[in-house]
Amino acid sequence: MEHRLVSAIETALGWNGAEDLGKGFVRGSMDDPALVSRLLTPNRLLDIAMRRSLNRPQFRCFQKVEEVHPAVYYTDSVSPRGQSIPMVDMRSLGRLLREGATLILDQANVFDPTMEVACRALQWWSRERVQVNAYLTTNDAAGFPLHWDDHDVVIVQVAGEKEWEVRSASRKAPMYRDSDPNNIPSDEIVWSGLLKAGDVMHIPRGHWHQATRTGSGSGKSLHVTFGITKRTGASWLAWLADWCREREIFRYDLERGQGLDDKALTEAATTLVGERSPADFLTAYEQETTLPRHVPFLDILGPLDAIVCTTHFPPRIQENGETVDVMVTGKKLTLTAKALPALRLLLSGRPVPLERAAAVVGTEVKELAEILVEEELCAVLTPELSLGYTGLVTNAVS
């Protein structure tokens, strides 16, 4: 999937592909100022908060480095039938923002189609799962104190300005579950300065960092953080541990003393490691990922006019002479080889208007589209989902 955001990030950071992810701190700036406002705006973020029943910790508010109790800015919206739904009290939230506060919306991609499509594009690019969090800071509010993340992040400043300090890692490749608490910050400052709208920054896993508007006076900052959690050697070993249950020897109790056959277990473990490589794990990881949410196709609501592939990772298409296999998220579809041109179009990750596609690859594309939607590899291109692609991803048939 060709996405303007992915291309802009690569250009701004001087990257040649996803292999640069996690290699070192780097920052740059996008050439297209209109792109950042297309991604998200402060008002769009507040609109998301107003229209949905959000709960902590997905939606949080901070003042003076302390989390504001939800009771301060939440209220119960009571229907005429007496049903109570927790909603953000926008008047109270507005007061906090006027005083100076930081709002955080985790997984903005769940609520906003543009963020959803951007995360999917980054997933197809990196072959890792991606989520995006949004941070809105007003006036001279402080941000989080110095901390590190257990995943790589790409930060895009979409509005206003914010001061940042980034330090080197004090432990190589720290993890969420680790043998060391890693709670002493490094003294080495890698970079400190002001991020402005359009600036992009990559902070690798383990680098300490903090951001603030303290002392900046009136104004705002909105940035989005794309969190990209890469697989590790520990992930591979955990996967092997699941596979070991297939072997009878690993299911026996460990007997103390002479009843414990260390050699047999060690040999079985060595065999397992040799049979399932890290490359096998990475392939399986993509295949085992669950299918994403989408609006189901119901013919009673109207005809299928346009679709888009919504799998977390690019489907694998394998030609086998007279047939072609499509493999993704634990599914395998076998179709005739003549379907290949239509398959490549429909599984491109770009929106596909079916009438226009039929003129290019034949009328069979409509029947194939129905199959892919039924198998949940593709989704109906609703007006709301289409908005997430507009101006950022071109149609597959244009």
Side-chain angles (χ1 to χ4, degrees):
M1 182 200 311
E2 298 174 6
H3 195 287
R4 284 177 60 199
L5 175 64
V6 176
S7 300
I9 287 173
E10 285 191 317
T11 301
L13 300 182
W15 284 355
N16 295 313
E19 61 270 14
D20 292 315
L21 185 68
K23 301 302 182 188
F25 170 81
V26 63
R27 66 183 181 88
S29 186
M30 295 183 182
D31 295 330
D32 184 1
L35 174 59
V36 291
S37 59
R38 173 67 185 84
L39 292 176
L40 189 65
T41 64
N43 280 330
R44 230 170 78 208
L45 177 62
L46 293 176
D47 191 79
I48 290 172
M50 179 186 70
R51 297 183 187 279
R52 290 163 177 81
S53 179
L54 302 173
N55 291 294
R56 185 188 179 281
Q58 192 153 42
F59 186 75
R60 293 168 290 162
C61 180
F62 288 78
Q63 270 192 331
K64 299 177 181 177
V65 199
E66 296 290 335
E67 183 173 358
V68 179
H69 195 283
V72 174
Y73 59 97
Y74 270 89
T75 187
D76 285 333
S77 176
V78 182
S79 74
R81 292 180 178 270
Q83 296 169 321
S84 179
I85 301 174
M87 300 290 290
V88 173
D89 183 330
M90 300 306 292
R91 292 185 180 85
S92 298
L93 189 65
R95 175 180 55 78
L96 291 170
L97 292 173
R98 291 185 189 94
E99 295 172 356
T102 293
L103 299 184
I104 303 170
L105 176 63
D106 285 352
Q107 287 189 290
N109 46 294
V110 172
F111 305 105
D112 182 83
T114 304
M115 293 287 93
E116 174 196 334
V117 174
C119 283
R120 186 178 301 123
L122 285 166
Q123 286 179 171
W124 282 38
W125 170 77
S126 67
R127 312 299 279 261
E128 302 286 359
R129 289 297 300 271
V130 180
Q131 80 165 52
V132 60
N133 300 340
Y135 300 81
L136 173 63
T137 302
T138 57
N139 296 328
D140 63 352
F144 286 138
L146 203 59
H147 66 283
W148 60 273
D149 294 321
D150 62 352
H151 52 272
D152 300 318
V153 298
V154 173
I155 295 162
V156 180
Q157 185 76 22
V158 296
E161 302 175 345
K162 204 168 193 180
E163 289 281 350
W164 283 79
E165 178 182 286
V166 181
R167 302 189 184 190
S168 61
S170 48
R171 172 174 169 78
K172 288 188 176 180
M175 302 178 68
Y176 173 68
R177 289 181 59 198
D178 208 335
S179 60
D180 188 308
N182 189 37
N183 51 18
I184 301 177
S186 167
D187 292 327
E188 180 189 7
I189 297 178
V190 176
W191 178 78
S192 64
L194 190 68
L195 276 195
K196 300 181 179 181
D199 288 347
V200 185
M201 181 165 58
H202 169 52
I203 302 179
R205 168 166 57 116
H207 278 53
W208 294 83
H209 55 278
Q210 61 182 345
T212 184
R213 278 191 54 83
T214 301
S216 298
S218 177
K220 86 281 187 179
S221 165
L222 175 62
H223 74 268
V224 292
T225 297
F226 293 95
I228 308 174
T229 305
K230 297 179 73 174
R231 304 305 93 197
T232 66
S235 306
W236 170 57
L237 288 176
W239 179 69
L240 286 176
D242 288 335
W243 275 107
C244 81
R245 293 173 175 82
E246 286 192 341
R247 311 290 175 88
E248 183 179 329
I249 189 173
F250 292 112
R251 301 199 303 270
Y252 288 133
D253 298 338
L254 291 177
E255 302 294 346
R256 291 177 173 81
Q258 295 181 350
L260 180 62
D261 191 346
D262 291 28
K263 184 178 180 182
L265 275 173
T266 302
E267 289 177 351
T270 302
T271 299
L272 182 62
V273 167
E275 289 177 349
R276 302 187 184 277
S277 68
D280 293 332
F281 163 60
L282 292 175
T283 299
Y285 170 71
E286 294 185 23
Q287 290 295 314
E288 293 167 1
T289 304
T290 57
L291 289 165
R293 305 182 319 147
H294 64 82
V295 174
F297 170 61
L298 302 172
D299 54 7
I300 56 174
L301 302 182
L304 189 62
D305 296 325
I307 70 169
V308 64
C309 182
T310 54
T311 56
H312 289 302
F313 302 109
R316 293 171 57 204
I317 301 176
Q318 182 176 314
E319 300 178 58
N320 302 307
E322 295 182 354
T323 62
V324 58
D325 291 335
V326 177
M327 293 164 287
V328 66
T329 58
K331 292 195 174 189
K332 179 180 178 180
L333 305 181
T334 300
L335 304 156
T336 61
K338 68 177 184 179
L340 187 58
L343 272 177
R344 294 196 187 282
L345 192 69
L346 296 172
L347 299 179
S348 66
R350 297 185 289 161
V352 182
L354 296 180
E355 284 292 340
R356 291 160 62 184
V360 176
V361 295
T363 56
E364 297 85 357
V365 72
K366 294 184 179 180
E367 181 181 355
L368 182 57
E370 291 180 1
I371 293 173
L372 296 178
V373 169
E374 182 180 351
E375 294 294 335
E376 301 185 22
L377 275 63
C378 293
V380 180
L381 188 69
T382 63
E384 293 76 16
L385 180 55
S386 179
L387 182 63
Y389 292 90
T390 303
L392 298 172
V393 180
T394 59
N395 287 337
V397 185
S398 54

